[in-house]
């Protein structure tokens, strides 16, 4: 499916339900998970990408640079075992930040490339038939939101049992899957806060002007 990234602003936040997460191996999810939502507009990834964009001429002015330098000076440089990164010099910190800025600029020039990330942008369908962001890919989504891209591809990883049962109406097998596939074409992102959100709703933000990919970037006229 394709959605407007600036509409995909709510994600599943387990804090509102005691930190309990549905099984990632299950496609049908029970419980109140869809009532506990975060606001990606206020999330750390969007703030990080926006900060890089706004201070692109001097990345030492970003909040993230100050955080990493503070850890470096305290003798505990930031590291990521998964990424194989150790930011034990200011030069490495700057190089790390420039990498993310480079991803943003590449997306601005060429659009969203789903093949560049390790994981698809996953979403789950709530009991009301709305989409919540789940799992990984939040930095790439934040970049698409910052740029105001028209759409990004998402993959449905799970659905609420109430929605599933309402859609399939007791059918099984291929018939049930066909009904679900049809119903998914009418789902849209959830934009409202949930009843069990871990924090108060802070309202909308002002998005920057969209930057659409340049068709000439790929040699097209």
């Amino acid at each position: 499916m394709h959605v407007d990234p600036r509409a995909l602003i709510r994600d599943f936040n387990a804090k509102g339900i005691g930190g309990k997460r549905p099984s990632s191996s299950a496609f049908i999810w029970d419980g109140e998970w869809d009532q506990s939502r975060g606001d990606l507009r206020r999330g750390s990834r969007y703030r990080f990408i926006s900060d890089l964009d706004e201070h692109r001429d001097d990345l030492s002015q970003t909040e993230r640079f100050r955080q990493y330098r503070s850890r470096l000076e305290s003798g505990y440089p930031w590291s990521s075992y998964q990424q194989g990164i150790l930011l034990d010099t200011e030069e490495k910190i700057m190089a790390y930040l420039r990498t993310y800025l480079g991803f943003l600029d590449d997306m601005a020039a060429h659009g969203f490339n789903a093949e560049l990330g390790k994981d698809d942008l996953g979403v789950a369908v709530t009991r009301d038939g709305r989409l919540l962001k789940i799992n990984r890919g939040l930095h790439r989504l934040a970049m698409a939101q910052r740029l105001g891209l028209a759409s990004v591809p998402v993959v449905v990883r799970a659905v609420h049992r109430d929605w599933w049962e309402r859609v399939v109406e007791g059918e099984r097998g291929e018939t049930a899957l066909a009904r679900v596939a049809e119903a998914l074409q009418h789902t849209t992102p959830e934009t409202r806060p949930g009843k069990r959100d871990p924090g108060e709703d802070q309202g909308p933000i002002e998005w920057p002007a969209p930057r659409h990919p340049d068709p000439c970037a790929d040699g097209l006229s």
Side-chain angles (χ1 to χ4, degrees):
M1 301 170 59
H2 284 77
V3 301
D4 176 356
R6 289 186 174 180
L8 190 59
I9 60 172
R10 302 287 178 181
D11 68 335
F12 163 54
N13 189 323
K15 292 181 180 179
I17 53 172
K20 298 179 180 179
R21 297 178 177 274
S23 171
S24 60
S25 63
F27 182 67
I28 301 177
W29 287 0
D30 296 290
E32 296 294 303
W33 60 269
D34 59 332
Q35 300 299 316
S36 180
R37 307 164 190 167
D39 188 342
L40 295 174
R41 298 169 298 182
R42 309 282 180 175
S44 61
R45 279 80 164 188
Y46 184 75
R47 293 199 312 271
F48 170 52
I49 296 302
S50 296
D51 201 17
L52 290 179
D53 197 20
E54 292 167 2
H55 295 95
R56 59 174 50 246
D57 294 330
D58 185 0
L59 295 179
S60 68
Q61 298 301 308
T62 62
E63 177 185 359
R64 193 63 63 91
F65 179 85
R66 291 192 294 270
Q67 291 175 346
Y68 290 154
R69 184 172 60 184
S70 177
R71 293 195 55 165
L72 175 63
E73 293 172 346
S74 68
Y76 297 94
W78 184 86
S79 63
S80 171
Y81 176 79
Q82 183 180 16
Q83 295 176 283
I85 294 174
L86 174 63
L87 303 184
D88 55 355
T89 67
E90 288 195 5
E91 290 74 17
K92 289 183 180 180
I93 294 174
M94 292 296 285
Y96 180 75
L97 298 179
R98 289 193 194 100
T99 298
Y100 275 93
L101 186 59
F103 291 152
L104 177 66
D105 290 343
D106 182 79
M107 189 179 294
H110 304 289
F112 189 94
N113 186 345
E115 296 181 357
L116 292 180
K118 295 181 179 179
D119 302 283
D120 296 317
L121 300 187
V123 296
V125 181
T126 70
R127 69 190 69 199
D128 299 319
R130 307 298 292 272
L131 304 177
L132 289 182
K133 182 72 184 73
I134 59 172
N135 74 14
R136 301 179 181 179
L138 292 174
H139 283 105
R140 286 179 292 147
L141 176 60
M143 292 177 191
Q145 291 172 331
R146 178 72 184 177
L147 297 171
L149 299 187
S151 69
V152 293
V154 298
V155 175
V156 177
R157 295 295 188 188
V159 300
H160 196 286
R161 182 175 297 277
D162 290 356
W163 181 84
W164 170 276
E165 292 181 349
R166 189 167 63 251
V167 168
V168 302
E169 296 182 322
E171 295 290 348
R172 300 172 62 87
E174 294 297 328
T175 301
L177 292 177
R179 290 193 175 190
V180 168
E182 170 61 25
L184 285 175
Q185 304 308 310
H186 306 287
T187 57
T188 57
E190 177 59 81
T191 59
R192 300 165 298 177
K195 296 178 181 179
R196 302 187 63 173
D197 289 359
E200 294 183 2
D201 183 48
Q202 300 181 51
I205 66 170
E206 184 176 349
W207 299 106
R211 279 176 275 171
H212 299 294
D214 183 1
C216 296
D218 293 317
L220 303 176
S221 58

